[in-house]
Amino acid sequence: MGMDGRDTPENAAATPSGATIEAWLDGLRGRLADDVRGAVADYIPELSRADADGLAICIATVDGQVYGVGDQAEPFTIQSVSKPFMYGYALREYGVDFTLGHVGVEPTGEAFNSIILDDVHNRPFNPMVNAGAIAVAELMKGATMAQRERNMRELFSQFAGRELSIDDSVYRSEHATGHRNRAIAYMMLNSGMIRRDPEDVLDLYFKQCAVSVTCRDLAVMAATLANDGANPLTGDKVLDPLAVRDVLTLMHSCGMYNYAGQWAYEVGVPAKSGVSGGVIAVIPGQLGIGVWSPRLDAHGNSVRGVEACKAVSSAFGLHVFNARPNVRAVIRREYRADKVASKRLRTPRERDLLAARGARVAVIEVQGELYFGSVERLLRRAAALAGETDRLILDFKRAQSADAAAIGLMRHMTEASTPGDASLILSHLTAEGPLAGLHAAMSEVSEALGTSRLALIEDADAALELSEDALLAAAPELRHGAKYALKELDLFQGLSEDDCRELEQIVQPMQFAAGETILRRGDPARALFVIARGSASVTVPREDGRVRRLACLGPGLSVGEMALLDGGARSADVVADEPVVAYALGVDRLRDLARTRPGILIAILENLSRELSSRLRLASDEIRALE
Amino acid sequence: MGMDGRDTPENAAATPSGATIEAWLDGLRGRLADDVRGAVADYIPELSRADADGLAICIATVDGQVYGVGDQAEPFTIQSVSKPFMYGYALREYGVDFTLGHVGVEPTGEAFNSIILDDVHNRPFNPMVNAGAIAVAELMKGATMAQRERNMRELFSQFAGRELSIDDSVYRSEHATGHRNRAIAYMMLNSGMIRRDPEDVLDLYFKQCAVSVTCRDLAVMAATLANDGANPLTGDKVLDPLAVRDVLTLMHSCGMYNYAGQWAYEVGVPAKSGVSGGVIAVIPGQLGIGVWSPRLDAHGNSVRGVEACKAVSSAFGLHVFNARPNVRAVIRREYRADKVASKRLRTPRERDLLAARGARVAVIEVQGELYFGSVERLLRRAAALAGETDRLILDFKRAQSADAAAIGLMRHMTEASTPGDASLILSHLTAEGPLAGLHAAMSEVSEALGTSRLALIEDADAALELSEDALLAAAPELRHGAKYALKELDLFQGLSEDDCRELEQIVQPMQFAAGETILRRGDPARALFVIARGSASVTVPREDGRVRRLACLGPGLSVGEMALLDGGARSADVVADEPVVAYALGVDRLRDLARTRPGILIAILENLSRELSSRLRLASDEIRALE
């Protein structure tokens, strides 16, 4: 499996890391169990019936691993933890500007159920206090109450990755006794902050607060925010990253009510608490945390929920201003064409030439997320290399994303290049997937500048081969595409005129059309071939049924030489890429000849050993260069 | 140069990325030049003399690259931008708890010069408003005013990476007219929030505000915070990362006065503004931004400074809740010992055995920063591999840091391992440098569990060789360390009894002591050697004068076989690692023999080709596995 897979999502405890994290969480649970400060909310009877000693702590990673301890499956109503998700919905459906018209973004020193409103802007201060959440609840779409409720339930179900329902008795109880919220709603109607019937808006608000969740649900919902709005279990894209950013900002500044400043300082993670004892915390790019414990402190936050988040944040180093993007990792490795070759096999003279001049071609393997800091560093390195090279290949095979800043920087940099600069080749930039935006921008630039200055090539190996070809084409001392006479071939060097004449008797010139098979995998190996003109590929079938190209051969190169040594079966297919002329040399006939003229076989074996030895040395260099 | 070097710190504009970023900044400067809203502060005459149209924008990266446009070198007084640095000083010198006794961490909706104090905790609300900054100024150490001033100037000079001085006329003017600050200080003295003579405290406060800086200085100071407290130009560690974290938290929530909520939402970066028109913004792990433009808005923030930060944050995607650590990149690559071999060369039988069973040894190359999210993923992958392997090598060569959470997780995971688990080898964990903490923890665990379960080995290649040795040692069919008779050696397979007797005549057995040179680089190649017993290393000198080990040879392997082919000079040194017995075969004598018995040379060349071919195939597999 790949590095990005989910190893054992179903049974975290079975893995050492799972056991480690859950053991740690369990230790934390044990310590917190002794903390009986605070009191269960009792403003409605249904909430006061919660198990005051209940406690669960869950962590969900952005790739769907869930760790949990305690009463993970115990249901409770989500209450105010619903607020950030509803705010995300408003941003998704209406955009920032419209939403800002209905609710502000300023923290307030007031309690969560404060009736004080922002008179200057005529809106509640922020969506994390009740007044703001009621304003947001008005924005739920749907022609009827039933439709709005369905839409709301669907939203929460998408965040949780399972179908959630409403706790009817809690809803009814809040509906019957929510006088303060009713007062807030009517105040807002009075000043025009809401427009619809307050009873109607409150009805949805009470239902949203009464959505029944478990602690595990909270962790997954938080992990959906941590994962840029995509549910890590289902892959559902619930919010776009920009909306997530705004939600997290408000959770960070207002999520813990009038405890927010201290929280940002000590715990330092975007969070939201609710009166039923739930707390979520979000570590962007890493994980979501859910805690449930019903006893509340004076601010209305779960006592143990706050303590659990403090401990997890501290032990795991999760404070938002701890998070350091690793700009250095954008360059996975770098190499030059004098040390690392494409899959095209070259003649000894070509190899010598590439070893001498290949440093003029550089490859940078790019990896990870492309954003301002990482692209700035990449382009700085590319610029340094541009002075030393003729061609620079940026291989995006392992790049995972490119944000607008990355695309803009790449665009500006390539547009600003001059004809004298190294020509730039971008490989593995695909028109679909996470790099589609970068692909589109670079295609445009390439069209404007011409492919000689900026080219997009699917595959890094093809880009390298092309760059090698360009280096070789510039070398007048090489004969390009020429047909080789037998005695000019490296394999037959050192033979006397006499030997050559003898050899010619047993050598058979052959022609192959493009696409024709020269050697077939599994066939008995009875002859070796030397290519005199054209090009052929050595391939083996891959597990997925497609074909893997191992090497590519041109004039002067031999193939199937193992026939000389053990005469077993062919280990790969060799197929003509274009019309090929080759010399076939039957091994049996060569051995017959060697009985009278051993010097021929000795010379051929020496040449073969020399060739293999030279290729082995190159391969060893390449292995070192790839480390 | 390495990937982490500074390519062209002295001349950013000369690089395409530099030109791109500065061109973009210059475009921004042009657009902002038209914005003449706001007014220059005029509460003291010296500030009102500032060039109202002045504008500079600078960006400094965490590795010391500085981009800048506009009036970058224009000096101005730092004013309130000094506050976060002084707060960092207090945290560094006194710790969090003591500092919290003097100043709080709660945002306030009040203006920067508000006289309202936190009566509940008897302290100013936070260190970013004047009252809080005065409380912090009292904490500057030094027995005399002159000493405190020197310490203060030294602090700011460390942040800027150059010697800063105080603008005396601004200081005098503020000292003469700072009545409101004087009122605040006396209020604080009255309630015991400061203890020393207010005039004395204010004197340092006015001097701190009058430190003269340029926009470039501000960018470097901000980059020092972005770089975990280490100045990117000088390398000076000015603050520890924990203090930086607390400073950034307060800049984020309080740095832009009563505009903070909107700022966190729209711009989303920790920032601080000053009344002289300076603004800094910090993008942790990426860069620091400095802007200077003297016209202020109603909140006291530079109009163009705010706009510039908005534009940079938006264009470059710098909002704090955009920043996503890339947990996936922790695994650079993974391979198994059946595909990638150590530098020890093996006999064909050993190679076959490693190809068949090498998958029981896995290597994970770790890279980048180790923190909760990345280590959780690493350990999850390690756990998945542990089930399929006998030995698991974690190579930390490219790991850059490990925080407490990473160390804790690694410790728990290894301690929780059972004797039945794959044995774990950690390589490149050094006792010094950024991984020292992890090294210490793992050494402890290794001592407790025994090295058979957890071993620390300096080098990944040595770890791989050891693991291969263990696989081979478990194979009874191999003869370990045995002395080989001539006819048992692979190079001489296929020779008749007769041929062998002939060959024995010209082969010369030789003994070498440990450390003795068998072949010397540059010497003429006249013989090949086959090792019968012992072990030897093939080495070449490195550029730095040390020695690079290319390969390691044991019984049954030949070295110097190129002598057979071209008789040039030796390309490497071969040195006995331990006492070695080898057969030397002079090439001239072999060729003499071939005149009467060509079959001997043909067989040797065939065996040599077969060996080279087999090693080439392995090398090609390895290259694919390393991609």
Side-chain angles (χ1 to χ4, degrees), chain A residues 115 178-189 202:
Chain A
I115 205 157
H179 309 311
R180 189 174 177 97
N181 285 326
R182 206 158 263 123
I184 292 171
Y186 277 99
M187 280 286 288
M188 288 165 67
L189 180 67
L202 284 170

Side-chain angles (χ1 to χ4, degrees), chain A residues 179-344:
Chain A
H179 309 311
R180 189 174 177 97
N181 285 326
R182 206 158 263 123
I184 292 171
Y186 277 99
M187 280 286 288
M188 288 165 67
L189 180 67
N190 175 57
S191 55
M193 295 183 194
I194 62 173
R195 290 133 198 96
R196 287 223 307 263
D197 176 0
E199 288 300 337
D200 195 85
V201 174
L202 284 170
D203 194 59
L204 189 84
Y205 177 69
F206 292 139
K207 278 178 175 148
Q208 126 195 2
C209 291
V211 167
S212 179
V213 293
T214 65
C215 185
R216 189 176 193 279
D217 290 330
L218 288 190
V220 172
M221 295 171 82
T224 301
L225 294 176
N227 194 32
D228 258 355
N231 184 304
L233 299 181
T234 64
D236 266 7
K237 291 195 172 148
V238 192
L239 291 186
D240 72 63
L242 225 64
V244 169
R245 190 184 93 177
D246 293 339
V247 170
L248 295 180
T249 300
L250 284 173
M251 288 170 67
H252 189 252
S253 59
C254 318
M256 300 303 275
Y257 308 121
N258 42 350
Y259 183 61
Q262 190 76 18
W263 177 270
Y265 196 79
E266 276 188 58
V267 190
V269 298
K272 187 72 199 80
S273 65
V275 77
S276 55
V279 181
I280 59 168
V282 178
I283 323 312
Q286 295 194 64
L287 44 94
I289 302 172
V291 191
W292 172 69
S293 174
R295 287 198 197 89
L296 308 182
D297 64 19
H299 302 289
N301 298 321
S302 164
V303 172
R304 292 162 171 177
V306 167
E307 294 304 323
C309 287
K310 272 188 196 173
V312 171
S313 169
S314 161
F316 295 166
L318 302 178
H319 194 289
V320 62
F321 292 118
N322 273 351
R324 293 178 295 273
N326 179 5
V327 295
R328 289 170 184 87
V330 67
I331 296 176
R332 180 172 184 260
R333 68 183 169 192
E334 239 183 77
Y335 53 84
R336 306 282 182 105
D338 59 342
K339 289 289 194 302
V340 175
S342 74
K343 289 189 184 122
R344 172 167 284 270

Side-chain angles (χ1 to χ4, degrees), chain B residues 105-394:
Chain B
V105 296
E106 288 297 327
T108 150
E110 309 297 320
F112 66 93
N113 56 3
S114 167
I115 204 156
I116 297 181
L117 300 164
D118 178 354
D119 297 325
V120 178
H121 299 94
N122 200 43
R123 60 187 184 188
F125 279 103
N126 71 66
M128 301 299 148
V129 294
N130 290 6
I134 292 168
V136 170
E138 191 192 19
L139 300 179
M140 178 55 64
K141 290 181 172 173
T144 63
M145 185 60 223
Q147 185 59 51
R148 290 194 287 279
E149 181 188 327
R150 267 200 301 280
N151 290 347
M152 181 272 288
R153 276 206 296 123
E154 190 193 335
L155 175 76
F156 286 97
S157 300
Q158 284 180 323
F159 274 111
R162 73 176 185 98
E163 195 67 32
L164 298 180
S165 57
I166 291 169
D167 183 324
D168 208 51
S169 68
V170 172
Y171 156 66
R172 280 174 203 284
S173 182
E174 296 219 46
H175 193 274
T177 62
H179 309 310
R180 189 175 175 97
N181 285 326
R182 206 159 263 121
I184 293 173
Y186 278 98
M187 279 287 289
M188 288 165 64
L189 180 66
N190 176 56
S191 56
M193 294 185 197
I194 62 174
R195 290 132 197 97
R196 288 222 306 263
D197 176 0
E199 288 300 337
D200 195 86
V201 174
L202 284 169
D203 194 58
L204 188 85
Y205 177 69
F206 292 139
K207 278 180 175 146
Q208 128 196 0
C209 290
V211 167
S212 179
V213 292
T214 65
C215 184
R216 190 178 190 281
D217 291 329
L218 289 190
V220 173
M221 295 172 82
T224 301
L225 294 177
N227 194 33
D228 258 355
N231 184 304
L233 298 181
T234 64
D236 267 6
K237 292 197 173 147
V238 192
L239 291 186
D240 71 62
L242 225 63
V244 169
R245 190 183 91 176
D246 292 339
V247 170
L248 295 180
T249 299
L250 284 173
M251 288 171 68
H252 189 252
S253 59
C254 318
M256 300 303 275
Y257 308 121
N258 42 350
Y259 183 59
Q262 190 76 17
W263 177 271
Y265 195 80
E266 276 187 58
V267 191
V269 298
K272 187 73 199 82
S273 64
V275 78
S276 55
V279 182
I280 59 168
V282 178
I283 322 320
Q286 293 194 65
L287 45 93
I289 302 172
V291 191
W292 172 69
S293 174
R295 289 200 196 88
L296 308 182
D297 64 20
H299 302 288
N301 297 321
S302 165
V303 172
R304 291 163 170 176
V306 167
E307 294 303 325
C309 288
K310 272 188 197 175
V312 172
S313 169
S314 161
F316 295 164
L318 302 178
H319 194 291
V320 62
F321 292 118
N322 274 351
R324 292 178 294 274
N326 181 4
V327 295
R328 288 171 183 87
V330 67
I331 297 177
R332 181 171 183 261
R333 68 183 169 192
E334 238 184 78
Y335 52 84
R336 307 279 182 106
D338 59 342
K339 289 290 194 300
V340 174
S342 75
K343 287 188 185 121
R344 173 167 283 271
L345 294 182
R346 305 288 182 180
T347 62
R349 288 175 74 187
E350 289 173 334
R351 286 201 300 262
D352 289 348
L353 209 137
L354 290 176
R357 304 187 198 166
R360 304 294 304 171
V361 174
V363 181
I364 300 180
E365 287 183 4
V366 181
Q367 73 180 357
E369 323 263 348
L370 302 181
Y371 51 92
F372 179 78
S374 58
V375 172
E376 188 270 339
R377 186 174 277 261
L378 170 65
L379 295 186
R380 190 136 45 90
R381 183 62 191 142
L385 284 176
E388 311 167 9
T389 58
D390 301 326
R391 275 158 195 267
L392 177 59
I393 299 168
L394 301 184

Side-chain angles (χ1 to χ4, degrees), chain A residues 67 367 373 376 565 606 610, chain B residues 67 367 376 565 591 610:
Chain A
Y67 304 103
Q367 73 181 356
E376 188 270 338
L565 304 176
E606 283 179 349
R610 203 173 281 125
Chain B
Y67 304 103
Q367 73 180 357
E376 188 270 339
L565 305 175
R591 289 203 182 279
R610 204 174 281 123

Side-chain angles (χ1 to χ4, degrees), chain A residues 82-94 128 136 155 159 225 238-240 243-244 247:
Chain A
S82 62
K83 289 170 179 170
F85 302 102
M86 288 290 283
Y87 185 61
Y89 170 87
L91 292 170
R92 181 181 84 185
E93 297 295 322
Y94 299 93
M128 301 298 148
V136 170
L155 176 76
F159 274 110
L225 294 176
V238 192
L239 291 186
D240 72 63
V244 169
V247 170

